[in-house]
């Protein structure tokens, strides 16, 4: 399993925060929301569940901060809507 690091408004894999091998990015929207806007996984890491691990990190972060998530990124939106384990952090006003 790859090491996932926390950057400013992102979780990522790789040595270079500016050019990561994989990342999920978000922006803070007000005091109680995170907007997930992008997920990227390099070709050689695909099929290993990396994007799911990155999403899990954002969800854990949102729970710790008492925030809900607005998933604009298609991957995050699909996973959050499909998996009930994420429904507690889904901002239902923005589905």
């Amino acid at each position: 399993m790859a090491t996932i690091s926390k950057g400013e408004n992102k979780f990522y894999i790789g040595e270079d925060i500016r050019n990561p091998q994989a990342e999920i990015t978000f922006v803070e929207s007000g005091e109680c929301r995170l907007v997930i806007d992008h997920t990227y996984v390099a070709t050689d890491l695909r099929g290993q569940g990396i994007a799911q691990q990155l999403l899990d990190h954002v969800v854990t972060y949102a729970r710790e901060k008492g925030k809900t998530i607005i998933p604009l990124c298609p991957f995050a939106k699909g996973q959050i809507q499909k998996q009930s384990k994420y429904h507690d952090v889904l901002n239902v006003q923005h589905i």
Side-chain angles (χ1 to χ4, degrees), residues 21-23 38-47 50-52 54:
Q21 294 173 292
E23 70 180 349
H38 174 71
T39 305
Y40 165 77
V41 177
T43 305
D44 59 329
L45 293 179
R46 292 184 185 161
I50 300 288
Q52 192 72 51
L54 291 167

Side-chain angles (χ1 to χ4, degrees), residues 25-46:
T25 61
F26 56 89
V27 293
E28 307 256 351
S29 175
E31 301 219 355
C32 58
R33 292 181 301 275
L34 298 177
V35 178
I36 298 175
D37 56 4
H38 174 71
T39 305
Y40 165 77
V41 177
T43 305
D44 59 329
L45 293 179
R46 292 184 185 161

